[in-house]
Every structure is written in C-alpha cells, then in structure tokens.
Amino acid sequence: MTEAPSPADFIRDIIASDLENRVNNGRLQTRFPPEPNGYLHIGHAKSICLNFGVAAENPDGKCNLRFDDTNPEKEDVEYVDSIQEDVRWLGFDWEERKFYASDYFEPLYGYAEELILKGKAYVCDLSASEMREYRGTLTEPGRASPYQNRSVEENLDLFRRMRAGEFPDGSRVLRARIDMASPNMNMRDPALYRIRRVEHHRTGNAWLIYPTYDYAHGISDALECVTHSLCTLEFEDHRPLYDWILDQLDLPCRPRQIEFSRLSLEYTVMSKRKLNALVQSGRVSGWDDPRMPTISGLRRRGYTPESIREFCRCIGISKSPNRVEHALLENCLRSDLEARAPRTMAVLRPLKVVIDSLPEGYEESLTVPVHPQNEAMGKRTIHFTREIFIEQEDFRESAPKQYKRLVTGGEVRLRNAYVIRCREVIKDDDGAILEIRCEHDPATLNANPVGRKVGGVIHWVSATRCVTGQVRLYAPLFIVTEPDALKGDIVEHVNPDSIEILTGCRFEPALAEMTDSLSYQFERLGYFHRDRDSITGHPVFNRAVSLRDAWSKIAQSL
RNA sequence: UGGGCCGUCGCCAAGCGGUAAGGCCCCGGAUUUUGAUUCCGGUAUACCCAGGUUCGAAUCCUGGCGGCCCAGCCA
C-alpha cells in the first residue's frame, strides 16, 4: 500500500513555520506520552500518527516515547509492555529514545526545591476536601490557604521531610503559589507533589512523594528538549500552568504545547476507564477482544497497521468536536485488503448440494487465481466434487426476480467452476431442507453458456475436500452511535448480539497452505483474519469487515 | 450569570478578503464468473444566525445562538 502524505493541518502549519523561522534552531522534537494505566486505543493511534508522523516528515525530526508514569496507583508494567508492542506494530520507531517521567523524579524534585526557594511554591496542610472548599467555584474566586505564606525555610524543611517520609499519606501537598482568584481553576495554587506510600512499577519504594501531571509534564518535555508538545483539547486550560512552570525555572529548552481535538468514533467508547470496566466485567474477553477499539483489539479483529494509519490520515487534525463514522474505518480496511488479501472460498452456513450429473467419487482439480486482479499473487487449487456446500442464503425455493442466486429450477454459476441447475429439493418430515439436487453444464467451465444468460455467481466448497472450523462475526459493541451519552453503567449497554460464533464452517484445503498471510478475503463474504485460537486442522477466523453489500440494501427495500 | 475552545455538505475536513478542495457515506450508469473491485457521472447559489466594513466576506468588525472542556492530592 503506497501511503499518501498527510495533508496539512494547523499543527503542521505551525511546525513548518517554526522550522522556517528556525524557532528552535530548526529542531523538531515531539513525543508520545501515554500513561501506562491501560491499553492503547484508536484515539491514541491518532496521536501516535501525528507525533511520529510529523517527526518523520521532517529531515531531522524525532519523536520520543515517554511513559507518563507519575501516578503509581494506576500504573503497571503490563501496560508499558502492551503500549510498546502496539506502537511498534503500528509501524513507528522511537529508536533509543524511550523515556519515563519517573526517569526525572530526582531532577523534578530539585526543581521543586528551586520553586520553593523562589517563593513560588509552598507546603500546604489542608486536607483534600478543605482544599476543594478553598478553591472556590467556577464563578467565585478561591481563598488563600492559611499555609500560603510559610517561610521559605519552613517550606523547604517540610518538603524535605515529606520526601523523608515523616508525614502520613495525603496529609500535605506541595502547591504552586499562583493566584487563588484566577478565573482558570488550574491556576488556583495547583498541587505539585502529593504523599503516596505506593510502590512504583519502576522506582519501587524509593519515593513516597510523587509529582502531579501538571508539574511533571512540562519539565519532562523541557528535559527532553521537546519543541512541540502535542496534546488533546482538555489540556488547553492547563497551558497557562504549563507555561507558568517553565517560566519559573531555568531549563535547557522551551517547549510549546499545542492542543487538538481527540477522536471519537461511532458505536464505541474511548475512555480507558470505560474500556477497563468492559474488560473487568467480562462483557468482552479482554483488552484485545476483537470488538474493542483498542489497538490490540483491532489487530486481533484483522485491522492492519496500514489501514489504521490511513484512517488517521483521513480524519485529519483539527480543534473541532467530532464523531467519526464507523464506515470510514471500515473503508480504510477494505481498501487496504482489497489490494492484497488472498482470495479463498468459505461456506459459513453450509447447505449440501449433490450434483447428480457427476459420477460417484468424481473429483476435478481446478487451478484458480489467488487474486483475480493480481496475477503475481499466483494460483491455488480447488476441488470440484459431486457433493459440495453452498451458503444457505444462496438458495431459495422461490424468490423475487432481483434475487440472482440459486432457486428451484434455476441456474447459477459456481464461482471458479460450472453453471449448475437446481432439479430437486430434499426435505425432512418437518419441511426443513436437507440437501438440493443439481446438474451441471459441462460446457460452462471458463465459458459462458450459449443461448442463455446466467446472472448469479455463488461461492462453494467441496464437501469431501474441505476443512471445518469456526468463524466469529461481529457487530458494534453498542447499538447507539454515541454510547458515551448513555446513562448508568456502560457495561450494561453492551450489544448482546455483538458477537456471533459459527461452527461447522467449511474452508478450502488450500487455506491451510496459504500461511504467509493472516488476512483473507472469503469471496462474497468479507475479510477474515486467522485468530490465535486456531489449532491444527481446526481454523478459527474473525470477520474483520464484510464486503460492501448492494444486495442487502435491495433485499431490505423489497 | 467565571474562564478556555469550537461551529463550512449526512460524517470528517481544506479554505487565512477575490467569488466553496478532497475523502467517507449516498444516488445514478458502465464493466464484471465476488450483488466485490474498477470506471464514469451526480450531490452545499452555500459556510450557526443577525447586522456592519468592502467593488467583493466562509474569511475582517459588532452582537447574538448552539456545542464541548475546567471546581482530582487523575492524566
């Protein structure tokens, strides 16, 4: 897949202009800063594509991976591992630049003492709830903490004792001294450090006090000499604080924060809290459940890195609120796989067909293309036999004239093989169809029948030369376009029909040999991805996305 | 009734004073042994609304309206 260049957007415009004006001596440094408290989702992919993408587009641009691990209560190595795997899988490389905010705990502490020395920070003994009261509201200014005017010496002493573990958790915080009357809540003396006796996944028990995001992020950016710190819109109100902190300190570099709107996608949720709730509740099988919007879920579902990158390119970068249609994501996968997925035939819901015009035990090997539009992908062998399976929905005893598949007495083309005509329908005592009896037209292999037109083509698999396995079909996790607006526990709103497991599906034997690919087009059905639950002789496939289906629209209007 | 941000086709999204790009969706039609793909063609006299400036405004000004975010010792 040839990748189209990302179109310009307001952030790329700013960067191009900064580069041209040599704002950072012509340097470009970005960073992708996930908190390791959950798995990455497609919203993160947008940020990854932006940060790594913009760096790759410029000659000396670099993008760091930085784990924003300042809150040990929620973080875990499981997440740092999965995040790295996902970023790599998406096709991006941080080279030797993998960092952790926890790498900076010592310098961060030093800068905090510097703030104290400058009279810009103080130790506050207010409890969390008292602090909330003192903060005021959106429309009323806050009041100064009674501890706001402690001496530098006392603050320094107290802060050092906070570090030394002399005070209980939550009893004191270090706060910035800014403006309790600011209309921006973030500027009302925000907390910089809190006491938490929690083991950190990297620093262990070395620290009892941990910096807050607002304090650590800008300094981390500056220490890494990040030039453009790209984040989502909800941090817009934090920018004055980000700048304030950088302004007080003597740092090697001066990064600039720029915000863009986060991604929302129809029929799913994106918050890690809600995704975690889905996992914990058991409503999905895990973070990589193919219905999840996580990178690992999409990967298991059958999405390719190329398709996700293309999606991120298509949605663009802006500041407007958005909710992207699911159809766009699907389109990106289809267009990627259309070009390169090997074709095969599979029957999901088998209906037996006996071709009476063929002798018992008849078998004919047919050599057919792996991809009809791409000869270079080679050939595969399929087996035409007296007994075959077709899709149950490809046969009807009677049907409207728009129905182009097999009907009693009618003809249809078996894809890659012959035209057959249905002679008889065999039913059980309850009237359920057991099998159908057909005859084939031997003159129709690679040739059109003479004197009549056969409009329909259906797929099939030999009943005697096939492998049996499982297919999982998926529907959206939620049936409403905006599940975030749903009341109550999100877990209760999961679409019970979001997964359908089909057993007894039949596949071409050649499928077992085509091991160089994990993604296939099952002709007329969609793109399917071999799941890791497959075992030898019993494949399991997930349907990543169906093919566009004009018939379903016609059928609905009938 | 504090502050910040946003409002261009059903959904994304260009546009940066000179007379509305593109993609997705949708609708026609052609080709087709995948009702797929591909290919042609169609789809905003209109840019949240109302005034104003200008020869000329989606773009500038004023005033409205609507939406999102912020009162964690989360990020």
Side-chain angles (χ1 to χ4, degrees):
Chain A
M1 184 180 195
T2 56
E3 230 145 308
S6 293
D9 53 61
F10 79 99
I11 290 180
R12 275 177 244 255
D13 287 348
I14 291 171
I15 289 173
S17 150
D18 284 352
L19 253 20
E20 190 179 322
N21 299 318
R22 303 200 57 78
V23 170
N24 299 99
N25 289 318
R27 281 193 325 107
L28 172 61
Q29 176 68 250
T30 57
R31 103 267 89 117
F32 172 60
E35 182 188 14
N37 68 342
Y39 281 59
L40 260 26
H41 54 62
I42 187 145
H44 293 109
K46 176 180 180 178
S47 175
I48 292 167
C49 289
L50 206 219
N51 279 294
F52 281 96
V54 97
E57 289 159 18
N58 292 282
D60 298 309
K62 297 268 188 276
C63 179
N64 299 349
L65 172 63
R66 180 169 77 232
F67 291 99
D68 217 335
D69 55 352
T70 56
N71 183 3
E73 286 176 335
K74 300 178 174 177
E75 297 154 7
D76 194 278
V77 283
E78 174 193 354
Y79 302 126
V80 344
D81 292 343
S82 74
I83 288 168
Q84 295 181 74
E85 181 186 0
D86 290 348
V87 174
R88 260 193 294 258
W89 178 79
L90 270 177
F92 298 100
D93 186 3
W94 55 88
E95 299 172 314
E96 73 289 352
R97 298 178 311 280
K98 177 175 79 175
F99 303 116
Y100 294 82
S102 53
D103 291 341
Y104 314 131
F105 279 177
E106 195 58 55
L108 250 8
Y109 176 85
Y111 287 119
E113 287 204 348
E114 189 179 328
L115 286 180
I116 292 171
L117 256 10
K118 288 178 171 167
K120 300 293 188 181
Y122 62 97
V123 172
C124 179
D125 302 356
L126 253 24
S127 69
S129 62
E130 287 169 330
M131 235 174 101
R132 184 159 47 244
E133 279 172 41
Y134 274 81
R135 187 156 33 230
T137 68
L138 294 178
T139 52
E140 305 157 29
R143 289 140 47 213
S145 160
Y147 307 98
Q148 197 190 53
N149 290 314
R150 288 219 253 228
S151 70
V152 167
E153 295 67 33
E154 188 182 3
N155 282 138
L156 206 51
D157 174 60
L158 254 15
F159 187 51
R160 287 175 176 166
R161 289 163 64 194
M162 277 171 65
R163 177 178 184 172
E166 291 188 26
F167 310 119
D169 283 13
S171 60
R172 288 175 223 260
V173 293
L174 181 72
R175 289 228 254 173
R177 180 187 280 114
I178 309 181
D179 178 9
M180 289 306 291
S182 172
N184 182 342
M185 302 295 286
N186 296 302
M187 300 298 268
R188 320 243 265 225
D189 291 12
L192 268 23
Y193 268 90
R194 64 288 215 189
I195 307 172
R196 285 280 179 286
R197 262 160 260 257
V198 177
E199 182 170 316
H200 187 280
H201 61 97
R202 291 193 72 244
T203 60
N205 297 307
W207 292 87
L208 304 169
I209 58 172
Y210 291 99
T212 59
Y213 164 86
D214 282 316
Y215 177 66
H217 203 87
I219 296 175
S220 301
D221 283 342
L223 293 176
E224 291 176 19
C225 278
V226 164
T227 56
H228 301 265
S229 182
L230 313 179
C231 64
T232 44
L233 249 26
E234 65 272 25
F235 293 103
E236 221 158 11
D237 289 342
H238 294 243
R239 194 171 64 231
L241 176 53
Y242 180 97
D243 287 334
W244 182 91
I245 289 169
L246 297 182
D247 285 342
Q248 311 310 314
L249 271 8
D250 185 25
L251 270 351
C253 298
R254 180 54 201 247
R256 198 235 278 214
Q257 174 179 305
I258 307 171
E259 312 84 11
F260 61 95
S261 52
R262 61 194 312 160
L263 168 69
S264 5
L265 234 200
E266 283 182 346
Y267 303 110
T268 194
V269 293
M270 221 62 100
S271 95
K272 281 196 262 189
R273 204 203 97 242
K274 288 178 181 174
L275 294 175
N276 192 240
L278 290 169
V279 173
Q280 297 310 321
S281 71
R283 297 309 247 270
V284 296
S285 62
W287 286 97
D288 70 346
D289 186 296
R291 293 166 290 179
M292 293 280 273
T294 49
I295 305 298
S296 52
L298 291 164
R299 175 168 60 230
R300 190 170 178 191
R301 172 81 169 252
Y303 273 82
T304 60
E306 291 82 356
S307 66
I308 294 174
R309 278 187 251 132
E310 171 65 5
F311 173 73
C312 291
R313 197 186 65 77
C314 284
I315 58 177
I317 297 291
S318 73
K319 297 184 75 156
S320 23
N322 62 79
R323 176 151 235 114
V324 176
E325 288 180 336
H326 193 254
L328 181 61
L329 216 209
E330 292 188 326
N331 173 70
C332 293
L333 211 220
R334 285 194 191 105
S335 58
D336 183 25
L337 259 21
E338 158 58 28
R340 52 184 205 168
R343 310 289 129 124
T344 180
M345 292 193 286
V347 175
L348 271 32
R349 298 178 179 86
L351 169 61
K352 190 188 236 184
V353 172
V354 178
I355 301 165
D356 289 316
S357 51
L358 255 21
E360 293 282 346
Y362 181 85
E363 183 174 315
E364 178 179 2
S365 291
L366 301 169
T367 302
V368 303
V370 169
H371 187 125
Q373 275 85 238
N374 185 355
E375 292 262 333
M377 288 178 73
K379 307 278 191 193
R380 71 188 203 270
T381 300
I382 58 175
H383 308 278
F384 184 60
T385 53
R386 186 165 183 269
E387 294 186 359
I388 62 172
F389 289 115
I390 65 170
E391 210 68 64
Q392 284 169 20
E393 63 174 25
D394 285 340
F395 172 75
R396 288 194 191 178
E397 292 186 82
S398 63
K401 63 178 186 305
Q402 293 94 331
Y403 186 81
K404 302 200 304 194
R405 288 111 100 143
L406 191 60
V407 296
T408 309
E411 282 187 302
V412 77
R413 156 81 61 187
L414 292 177
R415 163 127 255 235
N416 294 131
Y418 301 85
V419 169
I420 58 170
R421 180 184 298 277
C422 171
R423 282 307 187 193
E424 190 184 0
V425 181
I426 314 290
K427 300 180 182 178
D428 66 14
D429 295 340
D430 299 326
I433 299 175
L434 290 175
E435 62 177 49
I436 60 178
R437 297 270 168 170
C438 295
E439 65 180 13
H440 81 300
D441 180 344
T444 54
L445 184 66
N446 300 319
N448 285 128
V450 290
R452 69 211 132 100
K453 253 205 146 90
V454 175
V457 181
I458 64 172
H459 57 94
W460 58 279
V461 168
S462 165
T464 44
R465 296 289 300 260
C466 66
V467 308
T468 302
Q470 188 185 97
V471 164
R472 299 165 183 167
L473 267 18
Y474 299 102
L477 246 193
F478 300 95
I479 57 171
V480 295
T481 56
E482 195 185 348
D484 280 318
L486 258 17
K487 303 281 181 244
D489 189 351
I490 193 71
V491 159
E492 301 304 321
H493 295 285
V494 168
N495 174 12
D497 300 321
S498 54
I499 179 169
E500 183 179 5
I501 297 176
L502 268 22
T503 56
C505 305
R506 311 303 165 108
F507 311 105
E508 288 179 24
L511 189 54
E513 289 143 35
M514 295 192 281
T515 49
D516 52 327
S517 176
L518 289 173
S519 293
Y520 302 89
Q521 185 194 95
F522 290 179
E523 288 190 295
R524 299 211 310 133
L525 295 175
Y527 295 98
F528 293 73
H529 186 256
R530 196 190 301 266
D531 191 83
R532 62 155 184 263
D533 287 346
S534 297
I535 54 172
T536 308
H538 187 87
V540 176
F541 284 92
N542 299 321
R543 179 159 72 185
V545 65
S546 66
L547 255 30
R548 269 199 196 80
D549 183 8
W551 165 245
S552 70
K553 285 173 199 160
I554 298 167
Q556 265 177 27
S557 66
L558 290 174

